Amino acid sequence: MIDDEELIPADLIGRRLLKATTAWHHYADDEPSLVHLWLHLEGLGPVLFHTPSTGLALRADQPHGPYSMEEHGSVSVADDSPGDPVTRFVGHPIRSVRQIHYNDGHVGFTAGLTLQFPGGSIRLLGLDDDLLIAHNRHLGAVEAHLHEDVTIARVVQTSGGCPSQWDAWTTTGQYLYLRYRHGEGTVEQHPSGDVDTWDGEESSLWTSWDDGTNGGRIELTDFLAMAGLQLAPDAEVHSTPPLVPKA
């Protein structure tokens, strides 16, 4: 992979985390703040997570060494720092990458990403030019304005087994294609359930995992749990599949 190559979230899915490198800005009187995060991913190399202003940017990039900043303290760089919550996922693949949206009624933007691993998940956020790693961490008042599109309002089973698959719509109206075959589960985002709309920029992979069973059947509740999705309390669920599943 070429340094400075821009990446998209779907590029990370299925990649095993080898190590994490963090760069911290140390000021004279304040607590250190996170400047950069590199995730070293199998088959992809180091990926830099940084915030240009708001939100996150991803690109292929080698970690920088420690350096001083005139009149602005210094930056230290460390691999797999014990205090870094990302390190607990070293050795595990990234199962899904989902966008985190910020909307306070006046301003709306994509604030960051949730990376889901087999053993849990972590949020990476870019807010007000600050890079934040949030694992089981409540961010205070800003939490009310953060949203992930993970709640299913309507789901229709289109095949009962080999593969198990469903058409689903989130509470915001986003269409998702859920599929499980040969032990592998995937969630794809598309503009609609019409397969003729699936080749554009609005289509992307959300989730992919392999449970090692080579199975072809899974219950909806188990699939959603593996994918990090949930049913709305009043979700409309149709479990009778048509005779012919999608290809």
Side-chain angles (χ1 to χ4, degrees):
M1 191 169 59
I2 303 172
D3 282 356
D4 293 330
E5 179 183 351
E6 296 295 327
L7 301 173
I8 61 174
D11 292 332
L12 312 182
I13 296 174
R15 306 287 185 172
R16 187 164 64 94
L17 178 61
L18 303 178
K19 70 176 181 178
T21 302
T22 50
W24 295 87
H25 191 176
H26 300 267
Y27 299 89
D29 302 320
D30 298 327
E31 291 291 325
S33 63
L34 185 62
V35 182
H36 293 138
L37 168 69
W38 289 268
L39 297 186
H40 301 254
L41 301 174
E42 188 174 42
L44 199 59
V47 176
L48 171 64
F49 292 73
H50 66 107
T51 175
S53 56
T54 54
L56 288 179
L58 284 66
R59 72 168 188 262
D61 184 68
Q62 296 294 326
H64 312 305
Y67 54 92
S68 297
M69 301 179 68
E70 294 183 7
E71 300 180 0
H72 295 288
S74 62
V75 172
S76 63
V77 180
D79 291 335
D80 294 337
S81 171
D84 178 1
V86 181
T87 58
R88 68 186 289 256
F89 300 115
V90 169
H92 299 281
I94 296 174
R95 177 179 290 169
S96 71
V97 182
R98 296 189 301 270
Q99 292 185 336
I100 303 171
H101 303 284
Y102 177 94
N103 194 316
D104 61 7
H106 302 284
V107 177
F109 59 91
T110 301
L113 300 170
T114 291
L115 308 185
Q116 182 188 5
F117 295 86
S121 62
I122 195 155
R123 293 183 298 167
L124 306 176
L125 294 158
L127 298 169
D128 295 329
D129 206 26
D130 288 329
L131 180 60
L132 303 174
I133 302 176
H135 169 64
N136 292 335
R137 174 185 172 192
H138 194 280
L139 300 177
V142 72
E143 289 284 1
H145 308 307
L146 298 177
H147 170 73
E148 289 184 55
D149 202 9
V150 297
T151 304
I152 303 299
R154 181 171 180 262
V155 59
V156 178
Q157 189 173 23
T158 57
S159 177
C162 297
S164 294
Q165 60 188 31
W166 298 264
D167 290 328
W169 291 263
T170 68
T171 52
T172 66
Q174 174 62 59
Y175 169 78
L176 300 177
Y177 174 44
L178 318 180
R179 192 171 195 260
Y180 177 82
R181 187 178 187 183
H182 301 317
E184 181 179 353
T186 56
V187 178
E188 299 174 9
Q189 167 192 310
H190 297 291
S192 73
D194 182 354
V195 295
D196 291 336
T197 68
W198 289 15
D199 293 329
E201 294 182 358
E202 295 180 64
S203 295
S204 65
L205 179 66
W206 269 26
T207 304
S208 179
W209 80 87
D210 190 332
D211 61 19
T213 66
N214 201 36
R217 181 179 177 82
I218 190 173
E219 296 297 327
L220 176 62
T221 52
D222 294 331
F223 184 99
L224 296 180
M226 291 288 285
L229 302 171
Q230 61 188 18
L231 287 175
D234 58 348
E236 182 182 342
V237 178
H238 298 274
S239 58
T240 303
L243 295 176
V244 181
K246 290 190 175 111

